[in-house]
């Protein structure tokens, strides 16, 4: 690849920028990419960091967080994935809690912030594309109940299974004081507004496994309630 001097005529600079964009679009199948990919594309150019600054200034790329980028609207081929970005912004992590519950249709409310859990320190990131929240759980609980979803362009992201997302939410909501199955049922149906039909499809045995990992009495109650709903009890009470 040719190296371009800073004082090139504007026509040559425009050509260089166009080539950079074309090469970056060839390299990135989706819309989300990191600094390493960007530097790999720009390694044949002089002053690659200056090139990044120029791409940002012109809105060709957008910095989501230091080292994480998406294409600007004019240069995107489709929507970016907030789930993919959530995994990239802070890790190890997987999408869970309220965002995952809405993703699976378990709760009706649309969730604006992308919520994830991590075995690291809890964090919050306010970015140009929204708020990303990470809640900490113990490693032994972190290691179960994770699915990998692949979207168009071979772009994978990690997300809790429906059971794990609900268990994570109940663990995270520490002020509930739930002690009985009836209190758990009320919490699920009235506080979270979990869809009863969807709840009946969840696996009580998976909840029991997660409860062991969390060492949580509340999640064991969740397993008991899920078992009742799966048997058809509680749906029409």
């Amino acid at each position: 690849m040719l190296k371009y001097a800073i004082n090139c005529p504007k026509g040559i600079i425009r050509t260089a920028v166009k080539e950079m964009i074309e090469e970056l679009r060839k390299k990135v199948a989706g819309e989300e990419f990191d600094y390493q990919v960007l530097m790999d594309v720009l390694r044949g150019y002089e002053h690659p960091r200056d090139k990044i600054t120029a791409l940002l200034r012109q809105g060709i790329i957008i910095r989501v967080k230091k080292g994480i980028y998406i294409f600007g609207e004019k240069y995107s081929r489709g929507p970016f994935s907030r789930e993919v970005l959530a995994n990239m912004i802070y890790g190890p992590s997987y999408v869970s809690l309220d965002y995952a519950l809405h993703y699976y249709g378990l709760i009706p409310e649309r969730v604006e912030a992308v919520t994830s859990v991590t075995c690291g320190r809890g964090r919050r990131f306010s970015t140009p594309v929204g708020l990303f929240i990470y809640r900490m759980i113990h490693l032994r609980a972190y290691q179960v109940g994770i699915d990998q979803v692949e979207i168009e362009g071979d772009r994978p992201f990690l997300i809790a299974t429906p059971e794990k997302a609900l268990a994570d939410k109940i663990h995270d909501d520490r002020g509930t004081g739930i002690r009985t199955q009836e209190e758990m049922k009320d919490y699920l149906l009235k506080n979270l507004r979990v869809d009863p039909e969807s709840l009946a499809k969840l696996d009580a045995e998976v909840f029991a496994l997660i409860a062991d990992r969390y060492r949580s009495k509340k999640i064991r109650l969740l397993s008991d309630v899920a078992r009742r709903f799966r048997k058809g009890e509680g749906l029409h009470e």
Side-chain angles (χ1 to χ4, degrees):
M1 184 182 295
L2 294 175
K3 294 183 178 181
Y4 295 94
I6 294 176
N7 296 321
C8 284
K10 288 184 178 179
I12 295 178
I13 292 174
R14 282 195 294 269
T15 300
V17 171
K18 184 179 178 181
E19 287 182 4
M20 281 190 288
I21 296 167
E22 289 176 351
E23 189 164 350
L24 190 56
R25 284 280 31 169
K26 288 179 184 176
K27 193 83 173 180
V28 182
E31 299 300 316
E32 317 82 14
F33 54 98
D34 60 19
Y35 181 78
Q36 183 176 345
V37 170
L38 194 51
M39 289 301 290
D40 184 51
V41 171
L42 299 177
R43 66 175 180 267
Y45 291 85
E46 290 182 351
H47 311 292
R49 291 185 180 179
D50 292 342
K51 300 296 187 292
I52 294 174
T53 299
L55 293 172
L56 288 166
R57 187 170 56 245
Q58 295 175 56
I60 295 167
I61 62 175
I62 296 169
R63 181 187 285 118
V64 176
K65 172 186 170 284
K66 185 177 180 181
I68 307 294
Y69 307 89
I70 59 172
F71 287 99
E73 185 176 353
K74 185 177 177 181
Y75 300 93
S76 65
R77 293 174 179 164
F80 61 84
S81 167
R82 294 207 296 163
E83 297 89 356
V84 171
L85 286 173
N87 284 188
M88 295 175 69
I89 287 170
Y90 186 64
S93 67
Y94 60 86
V95 176
S96 189
L97 304 163
D98 301 77
Y99 190 92
L101 292 174
H102 178 73
Y103 177 92
Y104 289 120
L106 284 168
I107 60 174
E109 285 79 14
R110 178 176 172 80
V111 180
E112 294 302 324
V114 183
T115 52
S116 301
V117 299
T118 176
C119 54
R121 187 163 57 94
R123 298 287 301 273
R124 293 169 67 94
F125 297 91
S126 182
T127 79
V129 297
L131 179 64
F132 294 81
I133 299 172
Y134 300 81
R135 306 290 287 182
M136 184 182 73
I137 65 174
H138 195 281
L139 180 61
R140 65 176 176 266
Y142 180 92
Q143 293 171 326
V144 297
I146 305 173
D147 271 348
Q148 179 170 291
V149 175
E150 194 167 287
I151 58 177
E152 185 178 358
D154 298 323
R155 296 143 67 199
F157 65 87
L158 299 177
I159 186 169
T161 63
E163 290 86 357
K164 185 64 177 300
L166 188 53
D168 286 344
K169 173 64 179 177
I170 288 170
H171 172 77
D172 189 63
D173 199 350
R174 298 175 186 272
T176 56
I178 297 169
R179 295 181 180 86
T180 68
Q181 289 187 32
E182 287 307 310
E183 288 176 348
M184 177 59 72
K185 177 185 170 184
D186 285 346
Y187 173 76
L188 293 170
L189 300 185
K190 296 177 182 178
N191 292 48
L192 296 185
R193 296 177 64 199
V194 173
D195 175 54
E197 299 291 342
S198 298
L199 183 59
K201 296 175 183 176
L202 300 182
D203 192 330
E205 301 310 316
V206 172
F207 283 128
L209 171 63
I210 297 169
D212 287 342
R213 291 299 186 99
Y214 262 121
R215 299 175 184 173
S216 168
K217 293 180 179 178
K218 283 198 299 184
I219 299 174
R220 288 191 182 94
L221 286 173
L222 174 61
S223 176
D224 294 336
V225 171
R227 189 173 289 107
R228 284 173 54 190
F229 271 72
R230 197 164 181 95
K231 292 178 179 178
E233 301 173 16
L235 284 173
H236 307 293
E237 293 177 12

